[in-house]
């Protein structure tokens, strides 16, 4: 590909690989926790703290994802 695309790919597989993995782990853990809290076959409502924790995990994962997206941007223009 183009030089900017190659530079972005190199950043994503190099320095920013750990934040990408952490992002996926947080997001998946949050979704699994939310699913587990909401799918219980009990008649009472799920614990509100569990729902909030799962939403915080997903939000943190998405925040890290946005950071990586903007941090790995390589300008295709000169100047």
């Amino acid at each position: 590909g183009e030089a900017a695309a190659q530079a972005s790919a190199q950043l994503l597989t190099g320095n920013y690989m750990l934040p990408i993995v952490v992002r996926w782990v947080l997001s998946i853990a949050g979704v699994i926790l939310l699913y587990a809290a909401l799918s219980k076959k009990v008649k009472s409502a799920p614990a509100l703290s569990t729902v909030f924790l799962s939403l915080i995990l997903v939000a943190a994962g998405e925040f890290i994802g946005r950071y990586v997206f903007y941090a790995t941007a390589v300008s295709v223009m000169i100047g």
Side-chain angles (χ1 to χ4, degrees):
E2 199 174 316
Q6 290 176 357
S8 291
Q10 187 177 19
L11 284 172
L12 288 173
T13 58
N15 295 339
Y16 292 99
M17 188 59 141
L18 180 63
I20 291 171
V21 170
V22 170
R23 179 227 175 183
W24 280 106
V25 167
L26 287 175
S27 295
I28 291 172
V31 169
I32 290 172
L33 186 63
L34 183 63
Y35 178 76
L38 295 178
S39 69
K40 289 187 177 177
K41 302 292 183 189
V42 293
K43 297 190 189 292
S44 63
L48 199 56
S49 62
T50 305
V51 173
F52 280 140
L53 177 62
S54 65
L55 294 177
I56 288 171
L57 288 174
V58 171
E62 289 303 312
F63 179 77
I64 292 171
R66 300 252 179 191
Y67 166 74
V68 169
F69 175 76
Y70 288 111
T72 59
V74 175
S75 178
V76 294
M77 300 179 74
I78 298 175

